[in-house]
Amino acid sequence: MNILYITSFYEQRSASAAIRNSAWVDGLIEAGCNVTVLTVEWPQDLKSHFLMDNNRAQVYRTYLPELDVLKVTTTKIKKSSFAKLTPIRHFFRDLIFFPDICRRWQNKVILPKDMDYDVLISSSDFKSSHYVAKKVKDLKPKLPWIQIWGDPWKDDVGLNWLNKIRAAGKEKKMLKMADKVVYVSAITKERMSIAYPQLSHKFYYLPRGYYKSVYKSGSFNGSIHITYTGGMSIRYRNSLALLECIEERNKIEKLKIYVDFYGFFDAETKEQFGAFDCCTMHAAVDYEAILKIYQQSDALLFVANKGNSSQIPGKLFDYMGTNLPIICLVDSLDTEIANWLRGFSRCLLIENSNKGVLNSIDKIYSLVNERYDVVKDFSPYTIANQLLSLIG
């Protein structure tokens, strides 16, 4: 089967969507498909050498000058006295670059000369991937089109209020054009079915999955190290209660607990987390380094989005590719995500409050020596075969 796979996030460094798309493409190839990927040419220092070295698909990249400009201006502003103006800059940037920074991709893309494909797949983020796929669909109207969505567009917590309004109409139009729509969260799929009942017959759920499996051998030695990989902002995800309780417990316990964060953090988060001796914040690292970090960790930290969000951060599926326990901070033990997490014995659910952490912190000490089977249901090959079953 010949597949044209379109996504703006395929080779990016420290990007959950890039890991997901690379895993799905690799799984499709492992299942015997020929896959051609259309993506954008990201600046060299934003690329993941690990994902590029492990790629087995034919890749066509489109150069967008604005990506170079965005990288340069972002770096300069972060180092200047205008850093406090970042929210204002983001607001106007998002207004101009709609649906996203790759909005001109659909106009500049050069499609492969041989368009003999059996199926078209477009995967967000970014949403511009679906716009490029629409261009292909317009040229090949009989080509089956599967859209893959991470988060609901209009409910994306990263959108400003004006773009939420713009996204609502665009999202519905885009979904109507698809032959089938895949969501990487079962909760999101159900909520979207309620929001768009007339389109629900074409909605399906497939988990994001992990890219590579990794195993830690042995037990902790001298201290317990808990690892979190990915972005963290106290506005959307917050682990202050856990850090406060660990900090106090370390004062009286001989066996110390330390939490290592790897990712991108805003200034407010850095300032508050930096006050804890038990916490170390590291810059984002490439996926290859993340696998090595998992091997050296005793447990992994998952922090659910605030409120009853349907979004499941992709790092959770990366964690499922390990044999480590997962400490899960949730706003409430009664949310849909909390109920889903209960299905995995490795997940220790903790209400994300000082009281909740205090009631559960003893369980962390007993959990970190446990080892679990890698969840094969989330392997690239398994997910790819489920995707192929939708294609028929």
Side-chain angles (χ1 to χ4, degrees):
M1 180 178 290
N2 296 323
I3 298 175
L4 181 61
Y5 196 105
I6 302 176
T7 178
S8 51
F9 278 68
Y10 186 64
E11 300 170 331
Q12 256 202 324
R13 178 174 173 267
S14 305
S16 177
I19 297 170
R20 182 236 297 167
N21 289 312
S22 294
W24 283 27
V25 168
D26 195 65
L28 289 169
I29 293 173
E30 188 178 351
C33 300
N34 297 313
V35 184
T36 300
V37 176
L38 299 187
T39 189
V40 296
E41 182 74 69
W42 290 96
Q44 197 62 34
D45 62 344
L46 296 182
K47 288 184 178 182
S48 165
H49 295 292
F50 180 80
L51 295 182
M52 294 179 70
D53 291 344
N54 282 270
N55 168 64
R56 295 190 288 169
Q58 184 176 23
V59 182
Y60 291 88
R61 303 171 183 86
T62 301
Y63 174 68
L64 300 175
E66 49 266 39
L67 297 182
D68 288 322
V69 174
L70 176 68
K71 181 178 75 72
V72 172
T73 55
T74 298
T75 302
K76 288 183 177 179
I77 288 178
K78 281 183 177 180
K79 293 181 178 180
S80 72
S81 58
F82 295 101
K84 292 182 179 180
L85 299 178
T86 295
I88 299 175
R89 181 177 63 88
H90 284 176
F91 181 85
F92 285 104
R93 182 199 65 190
D94 293 345
L95 287 181
I96 297 170
F97 292 100
F98 184 87
D100 49 66
I101 191 64
C102 297
R103 71 181 184 89
R104 291 204 306 150
W105 183 17
Q106 60 184 313
N107 300 324
K108 296 179 70 67
V109 65
I110 299 176
L111 301 175
K113 292 181 180 179
D114 181 6
M115 292 283 285
D116 186 22
Y117 297 105
D118 300 301
V119 66
L120 167 66
I121 299 176
S122 58
S123 177
S124 59
D125 282 324
F126 283 143
K127 308 303 185 290
S128 52
S129 304
H130 301 311
Y131 282 75
V132 175
K134 180 183 178 300
K135 184 173 182 177
V136 175
K137 182 71 172 179
D138 289 342
L139 294 173
K140 307 278 286 188
K142 294 184 179 180
L143 183 64
W145 181 11
I146 295 179
Q147 296 176 6
I148 300 172
W149 293 75
D151 304 327
W153 191 3
K154 65 182 178 64
D155 297 327
D156 191 329
V157 295
L159 290 181
N160 61 54
W161 64 271
L162 184 55
N163 273 354
K164 284 180 182 289
I165 296 174
R166 298 168 76 183
K170 298 292 184 182
E171 180 178 47
K172 186 175 182 178
K173 289 180 180 179
M174 194 63 71
L175 295 174
K176 283 183 176 180
M177 298 177 199
D179 293 286
K180 294 182 179 179
V181 179
V182 172
Y183 290 100
V184 298
S185 162
I187 301 169
T188 297
K189 182 258 180 183
E190 293 304 319
R191 291 189 182 182
M192 294 301 288
S193 296
I194 295 172
Y196 302 111
Q198 71 278 20
L199 301 176
S200 61
H201 65 281
K202 63 171 74 175
F203 293 169
Y204 298 86
Y205 158 66
L206 285 181
R208 171 211 190 259
Y210 57 83
Y211 188 18
K212 302 290 183 182
S213 57
V214 59
Y215 296 83
K216 177 189 174 68
S217 58
S219 59
F220 56 85
N221 183 20
S223 58
I224 297 172
H225 284 269
I226 301 171
T227 294
Y228 177 95
T229 53
M232 171 70 73
S233 171
I234 58 175
R235 293 172 58 195
Y236 308 121
R237 298 172 195 151
N238 192 344
S239 55
L240 286 175
L242 177 68
L243 295 178
E244 288 172 359
C245 292
I246 290 176
E247 190 87 343
E248 291 303 311
R249 195 62 175 260
N250 280 353
K251 293 177 181 179
I252 58 175
E253 289 283 352
K254 184 176 180 180
L255 181 60
K256 310 299 182 186
I257 300 177
Y258 298 98
V259 186
D260 293 283
F261 294 86
Y262 295 84
F264 299 103
F265 315 98
D266 57 44
E268 186 179 7
T269 303
K270 285 182 178 180
E271 181 180 357
Q272 294 203 31
F273 281 31
F276 297 97
D277 294 331
C278 65
C279 167
T280 304
M281 307 189 76
H282 308 265
V285 296
D286 202 359
Y287 188 70
E288 182 177 19
I290 287 177
L291 296 178
K292 294 179 181 178
I293 290 167
Y294 289 165
Q295 284 183 315
Q296 300 166 3
S297 303
D298 300 303
L300 303 170
L301 175 63
F302 168 78
V303 185
N305 291 332
K306 289 186 176 181
N308 192 20
S309 170
S310 68
Q311 300 174 20
I312 301 177
K315 67 181 66 61
L316 181 65
F317 296 99
D318 292 331
Y319 294 172
M320 294 294 183
T322 76
N323 62 341
L324 295 171
I326 305 173
I327 299 166
C328 303
L329 299 181
V330 294
D331 269 11
S332 168
L333 298 178
D334 296 323
T335 62
E336 292 172 288
I337 285 184
N339 291 331
W340 183 77
L341 290 169
R342 283 192 181 91
F344 302 95
S345 59
R346 70 176 62 210
C347 292
L348 170 62
L349 267 67
I350 300 177
E351 183 182 284
N352 197 359
S353 64
N354 288 78
K355 181 180 179 181
V357 176
L358 283 172
N359 289 338
S360 303
I361 195 167
D362 286 335
K363 296 178 183 178
I364 295 177
Y365 291 91
S366 59
L367 184 74
V368 291
N369 258 331
E370 298 292 331
R371 296 294 175 261
Y372 303 85
D373 293 330
V374 167
V375 185
K376 295 297 184 182
D377 287 347
F378 298 143
S379 71
Y381 182 76
T382 301
I383 302 300
N385 276 284
Q386 292 179 31
L387 182 58
L388 289 173
S389 70
L390 295 184
I391 297 170

